[in-house]
Amino acid sequence: MSITEKQLEEQYLKRVYTKLLEKQVELEELLEHAKEDGVNSLKGMTSDISLNFENITDNLDTFAVLEMKNREIDQMNIKLQTATVLLEKVKRLLSAPYFGKITVDFLDDEELEDFYIGINNFADEQSNNLIYDWRSPIAELFYNNTIGPSSYSVNKNDIEVAIENRRQFILERDRLIKFFDTSVAIQDDVLLEALEQDSTNEMKDITSTIQKEQNVIIRDTKNKNILVNGIAGSGKTSTIMQRIAYLLYLYRQTITVDNILILSPNRKFIEYISNVLPSLGERNPLNLTVLQFIQRLSAEELEQEEEYFHRISQAKHDKHTDILRSQEYVDYIKQADELFLSSDDFIKGLDRKGKTVISKEKIAEIYHATPNYPRLIDKIQATKTQLKSYWESRLLKQAKSHEIQNQILSLSEELQQKYFGEIISEDTERNLYSYGKKLLRKRYRSITKAIEENRWLDTAFFFEKIFESYEGHPYEYTYQDSLTLDEAVVLQTIQHNLVEKAEVEPMKFILIDEVQDYTPAQLSLLFDLFEKSAFTMVGDENQAIFNSSISFETIKAAFTERELSVQRYDLLYSYRSSGSITKLFSQLVTDERKMDIIPIRKDGTEPEFLSFDSMEEFIQLISEVIKQLDEADAQLTIITKDEEEVEAIEAALADKGLKLPNTAILPISLSKGLEFDHVLLYDVSAENYQTDREIKILYTAISRAMKQLFVTYRKELPALLAE
């Protein structure tokens, strides 16, 4: 009786799973005994080592023994760290050892070879690879999606092969649930089944369902800068997370997560993607919103995230905000040296406890004594160097004065201990000069810090003078209690180009999500701060719902102006929403792209359109929707156009004393980038959605829904939906 393909796969799975279990037991036993062995080893070391420092020879012998024991401890620690990392890999693999297999012909006389692909590699005791990491060179063949002639790259060498078969699995621990042979993964049942799994509050990795167009982006190392325009649900965020994991694997000898920065749209989104990389065995890199990033650079208080989103969610903004955001204004700042070189109006004196310590006049004198550099930043930095030298000489001179030495001798023992870390004795009185320097440096540390932080410069003056010059007439700029992000970006641009280069952690890779929401000024500052970094930027021009958006053509132009190249990719397959929901939001994109959006999921439940006339009727409508959800205890997410609508709904619920079970109410500004099984949209009326920006808001809101969508409206729907 011949053995079937299924039986062969079950046998292989059983073999791999058994090896994984054996390795788990081996590693757990090793780590369990490690602590006890380590303690015993340390105890043994103390008895082995005889400390003898009687002469130079004995000293050298003792140090040699200590060095040898230190090496033993280091080797033990490395062994334990390696075991811990491997155990974590094994535990991840035990839930589903692998998800794919490729059968490869290396175009020689040898037999075909099978390669099983999983989230991590795993080898047996003879170092035979039973599972290959999805990021390994051979695994690229799995994602190529074509049977027949192919190739993969190892150390920049292309290896020609033929893919004889491509197989995908659904496994649960040691159980083979399903497997399929397929040449085009985009249409297969494995992908659809993975997509149909319930959503959670966290994004999952897409390792087992990476598609060809996503794989190209993930593995692109030829292009330093990448720009991805992906329609809603195309997996663009997942793709950049997988790209991070791939880069960490590929360059594991030269970079760590500390060399990577992610810029996310909001704090909620940071939480949402927080588990993707840990699930692949990688630490999360630094992940900030652009607001948090600029706050790290700024000494001033910035607007809070809620204020920021409220401001950029408004339909209109003032002319001055447009200026601050523009590339033209950034370029003007960079050429503004002549406004200040011959002046000293931007210089301030330095005070301590209400008294002037270094006068404005003295600093101005130092400034004018420096060479006449053509660039302001060079003159300011030369002034800073001279100012620090001047201040140091003043402290040293004062430390020798009788006044300071008498003050030192009159200090209580408690203050002596505080300032010097010891009590002054008769033997140490001759070191009063040294104590004087310590005392003065502590007493005037605020001045030293102020010099270092350039607080002798009036940054507001720079800001206002440049703005007034750009406007071409006198203008008094008005600040609010806290700086807006736009103001802070301009101040940092001034600081970096005219005052002092900002010190930022060197990053090898910068990854920006929702790049269409950035302003030219924000991107320009990022490009200035990270001149040597490689940028991967993803977004969707159809989701440019804020008044702070930028076109992809403008982004490309910014790279061109810097004589840099950027590779653009378009992702047009939609994996998130059901087919019927995808078709609905496809109606809201521009005519030339309508036919390009390709839904992958089945049609599922058709969206429901529900009309209401009053808030009371709307509240009743929500209760009815919750009852008809197709899952018990299903979460309903109500998405509104703005924060004001959230407040209106919450107020209506409070008036009635109602608390809706398993329901969240979010404005589009906070739900953007997230996904939910069941979504209800508030007041999608023709009157409420008219402008191009409002239609983009509607596109974004509809595309948050995965399974069920309820569209509520007053009177009539917008024309694009009414069709």
Side-chain angles (χ1 to χ4, degrees):
M1 181 178 175
S2 61
I3 191 166
T4 66
E5 281 290 311
K6 183 179 181 183
Q7 289 171 325
L8 285 171
E9 293 295 0
E10 286 175 336
Q11 287 176 6
Y12 188 81
L13 176 58
K14 185 70 175 176
R15 175 190 165 201
V16 171
Y17 202 80
T18 300
K19 293 290 183 184
L20 284 168
L21 288 175
E22 289 172 355
K23 180 58 72 172
Q24 180 185 25
V25 171
E26 174 191 329
L27 292 169
E28 286 177 341
E29 287 179 351
L30 186 154
L31 292 169
E32 185 179 341
H33 298 303
K35 185 175 180 181
E36 182 181 343
D37 292 344
V39 171
N40 291 335
S41 296
L42 288 172
K43 287 179 180 177
M45 286 180 193
T46 57
S47 60
D48 291 344
I49 299 174
S50 175
L51 299 180
N52 189 342
F53 298 103
E54 290 184 4
N55 55 57
I56 292 176
T57 303
D58 291 333
N59 285 355
L60 292 174
D61 290 343
T62 300
F63 288 138
V65 173
L66 288 171
E67 178 62 25
M68 181 184 69
K69 293 301 180 181
N70 281 334
R71 281 200 298 270
E72 288 179 18
I73 293 172
D74 289 341
Q75 289 168 358
M76 185 180 0
N77 285 335
I78 291 170
K79 182 180 179 182
L80 294 179
Q81 288 169 3
T82 303
T84 301
V85 171
L86 184 54
L87 179 59
E88 289 173 354
K89 282 185 180 182
V90 168
K91 287 180 176 178
R92 280 193 297 274
L93 290 171
L94 281 169
S95 62
Y98 45 83
F99 51 77
K101 180 179 84 169
I102 43 172
T103 303
V104 181
D105 182 352
F106 284 91
L107 307 180
D108 50 23
D109 294 332
E110 300 298 322
E111 293 184 0
L112 301 179
E113 289 189 49
D114 290 333
F115 299 87
Y116 287 80
I117 313 299
I119 60 171
N120 291 121
N121 66 291
F122 179 69
D124 62 15
E125 55 274 12
Q126 282 81 41
S127 298
N128 298 313
N129 272 326
L130 302 179
I131 305 169
Y132 287 81
D133 193 298
W134 68 275
R135 298 165 290 187
S136 62
I138 194 71
E140 184 176 357
L141 297 173
F142 175 76
Y143 296 112
N144 280 345
N145 290 352
T146 54
I147 299 297
S150 189
S151 67
Y152 67 100
S153 179
V154 179
N155 297 326
K156 297 183 179 180
N157 296 315
D158 289 336
I159 299 175
E160 301 294 327
V161 298
I163 301 175
E164 292 297 317
N165 193 29
R166 181 182 185 283
R167 179 167 289 176
Q168 289 187 261
F169 302 92
I170 295 179
L171 309 179
E172 287 183 5
R173 302 189 73 83
D174 61 346
R175 288 178 55 230
L176 175 58
I177 309 300
K178 291 181 184 178
F179 73 90
F180 300 89
D181 291 338
T182 176
S183 61
V184 185
I186 207 165
Q187 295 169 345
D188 69 38
D189 292 338
V190 175
L191 172 60
L192 293 174
E193 182 153 337
L195 291 172
E196 290 301 326
Q197 293 175 1
D198 290 345
S199 63
T200 68
N201 291 326
E202 294 178 338
M203 176 177 283
K204 300 175 183 176
D205 74 84
I206 59 165
T207 313
S208 61
T209 58
I210 292 170
Q211 300 306 298
K212 186 174 183 179
E213 75 278 11
Q214 297 166 335
N215 185 55
V216 171
I217 297 167
I218 291 168
R219 293 174 183 261
D220 185 347
T221 56
K222 293 179 181 177
N223 297 291
K224 182 178 179 181
N225 303 302
I226 294 172
L227 177 61
V228 181
N229 191 15
I231 57 99
S234 58
K236 51 187 176 292
T237 299
S238 299
T239 298
I240 65 169
M241 298 303 290
Q242 305 292 136
R243 177 167 170 75
I244 292 171
Y246 176 73
L247 293 170
L248 288 170
Y249 176 88
L250 185 66
Y251 300 119
R252 56 193 177 278
Q253 303 301 328
T254 56
I255 70 166
T256 69
V257 290
D258 297 326
N259 305 119
I260 296 174
L261 170 65
I262 305 175
L263 291 172
S264 288
N266 55 60
R267 292 196 302 267
K268 191 174 183 69
F269 190 82
I270 292 173
E271 295 172 10
Y272 177 62
I273 64 174
S274 62
N275 196 46
V276 175
L277 289 170
S279 71
L280 296 170
E282 303 288 358
R283 287 191 296 121
N284 276 318
L286 181 63
N287 191 346
L288 302 169
T289 66
V290 66
L291 191 64
Q292 290 171 329
F293 174 74
I294 298 298
Q295 180 67 84
R296 285 183 163 216
L297 298 177
S298 177
E300 306 293 330
E301 183 182 348
L302 269 62
E303 62 187 333
Q304 296 299 304
E305 186 173 279
E306 295 75 14
E307 298 172 276
Y308 170 65
F309 278 116
H310 178 76
R311 187 169 62 82
I312 66 172
S313 296
Q314 302 305 303
K316 295 181 180 179
H317 46 83
D318 59 59
K319 169 193 168 187
H320 299 134
T321 300
D322 275 339
I323 291 173
L324 299 182
R325 292 174 174 176
S326 69
Q327 184 62 49
E328 292 77 15
Y329 192 60
V330 169
D331 294 339
Y332 191 80
I333 291 170
K334 293 180 178 182
Q335 302 299 321
D337 300 78
E338 290 301 324
L339 293 175
F340 307 101
L341 278 169
S342 60
S343 167
D344 57 28
D345 293 339
F346 53 84
I347 291 175
K348 300 190 299 183
L350 293 176
D351 298 344
R352 176 180 176 272
K353 295 184 177 181
K355 290 185 179 181
T356 299
V357 177
I358 308 179
S359 69
K360 172 182 175 176
E361 290 73 22
K362 182 60 186 177
I363 300 175
E365 178 188 324
I366 295 172
Y367 173 77
H368 290 299
T370 59
N372 292 322
Y373 293 99
R375 297 182 65 230
L376 181 64
I377 191 170
D378 295 327
K379 192 166 179 66
I380 285 177
Q381 288 307 299
T383 303
K384 183 175 181 176
T385 300
Q386 292 302 315
L387 182 57
K388 287 160 74 173
S389 177
Y390 161 78
W391 176 239
E392 179 68 10
S393 65
R394 261 185 65 175
L395 290 178
L396 295 181
K397 183 178 179 181
Q398 195 172 353
K400 294 178 181 178
S401 69
H402 293 299
E403 180 185 356
I404 291 298
Q405 294 187 3
N406 288 336
Q407 284 183 29
I408 292 169
L409 292 173
S410 64
L411 289 173
S412 66
E413 289 189 353
E414 183 181 351
L415 287 176
Q416 288 176 23
Q417 189 70 42
K418 175 184 175 182
Y419 286 129
F420 314 126
E422 62 184 7
I423 305 299
I424 299 173
S425 64
E426 290 183 7
D427 293 336
T428 57
E429 279 191 25
R430 61 180 178 274
N431 294 325
L432 288 181
Y433 173 56
S434 176
Y435 288 128
K437 288 189 292 183
K438 283 186 179 181
L439 175 64
L440 289 170
R441 286 201 173 106
K442 288 194 175 184
R443 181 177 292 174
Y444 289 100
R445 61 182 176 273
S446 62
I447 298 296
T448 305
K449 187 177 181 184
I451 294 172
E452 189 60 44
E453 294 179 352
N454 302 313
R455 277 186 258 152
W456 47 280
L457 297 172
D458 187 346
T459 53
F461 180 84
F462 285 122
F463 186 103
E464 291 157 14
K465 181 74 173 176
I466 295 172
F467 193 89
E468 182 181 284
S469 176
Y470 186 85
E471 283 282 76
H473 58 80
Y475 181 83
E476 187 174 341
Y477 192 92
T478 305
Y479 297 96
Q480 303 302 316
D481 292 338
S482 56
L483 290 176
T484 67
L485 177 60
D486 298 307
E487 291 167 342
V489 166
V490 166
L491 281 169
Q492 288 303 317
T493 300
I494 292 170
Q495 168 81 11
H496 188 72
N497 289 280
L498 301 181
V499 177
E500 185 172 55
K501 296 294 183 186
E503 290 187 9
V504 293
E505 289 294 321
M507 295 291 173
K508 184 73 174 176
F509 298 98
I510 311 289
L511 297 103
I512 303 177
D513 205 348
E514 305 287 359
V515 69
Q516 77 281 346
D517 295 334
Y518 283 65
T519 68
Q522 289 168 9
L523 288 180
S524 180
L525 180 59
L526 289 171
F527 297 157
D528 283 348
L529 295 176
F530 299 104
E531 286 183 302
K532 297 181 180 179
S533 301
F535 282 81
T536 298
M537 301 155 288
V538 303
D540 180 1
E541 288 187 299
N542 290 300
Q543 294 187 61
I545 68 173
F546 300 125
N547 62 41
S548 59
S549 61
I550 190 172
S551 72
F552 276 42
E553 286 306 312
T554 303
I555 296 173
K556 288 191 73 173
F559 280 93
T560 302
E561 287 170 9
R562 294 168 182 266
E563 298 183 347
L564 298 171
S565 62
V566 59
Q567 174 64 47
R568 173 167 168 167
Y569 293 101
D570 290 323
L571 296 177
L572 299 172
Y573 292 97
S574 181
Y575 302 96
R576 176 191 295 138
S577 306
S578 67
S580 58
I581 294 172
T582 302
K583 290 170 188 173
L584 185 64
F585 70 72
S586 297
Q587 295 174 208
L588 303 175
V589 302
T590 55
D591 290 340
E592 59 268 27
R593 292 192 60 190
K594 274 186 183 176
M595 298 306 295
D596 288 337
I597 293 183
I598 305 165
I600 299 303
R601 293 195 187 213
K602 298 172 184 176
D603 280 351
T605 306
E606 288 292 324
E608 291 189 39
F609 296 87
L610 309 168
S611 65
F612 68 96
D613 294 321
S614 65
M615 184 59 79
E616 185 175 331
E617 194 174 328
F618 175 75
I619 299 300
Q620 179 61 35
L621 189 149
I622 297 174
S623 301
E624 293 171 4
V625 166
I626 291 172
K627 290 177 185 175
Q628 73 175 77
L629 292 182
D630 60 12
E631 300 170 15
D633 297 323
Q635 172 90 18
L636 177 68
T637 303
I638 300 171
I639 297 179
T640 69
K641 180 180 170 183
D642 51 39
E643 294 91 341
E644 285 80 1
E645 289 184 349
V646 172
E647 292 168 4
I649 296 170
E650 290 177 340
L653 290 170
D655 286 344
K656 291 186 169 292
L658 292 176
K659 287 188 178 179
L660 299 173
N662 300 323
T663 303
I665 309 172
L666 295 173
I668 188 61
S669 59
L670 294 183
S671 54
K672 190 166 179 278
L674 308 181
E675 57 189 30
F676 312 96
D677 281 344
H678 312 282
V679 170
L680 184 145
L681 304 185
Y682 173 71
D683 195 13
V684 181
S685 307
E687 186 178 348
N688 206 18
Y689 289 88
Q690 299 181 27
T691 67
D692 179 65
R693 175 177 163 273
E694 288 168 342
I695 295 303
K696 288 180 177 178
I697 290 175
L698 186 53
Y699 164 96
T700 307
I702 291 174
S703 61
R704 300 309 94 202
M706 296 175 65
K707 294 182 178 180
Q708 282 182 285
L709 175 67
F710 304 91
V711 181
T712 71
Y713 65 99
R714 301 175 194 257
K715 296 181 181 178
E716 59 181 1
L717 289 163
L720 286 171
L721 290 187
E723 295 173 5

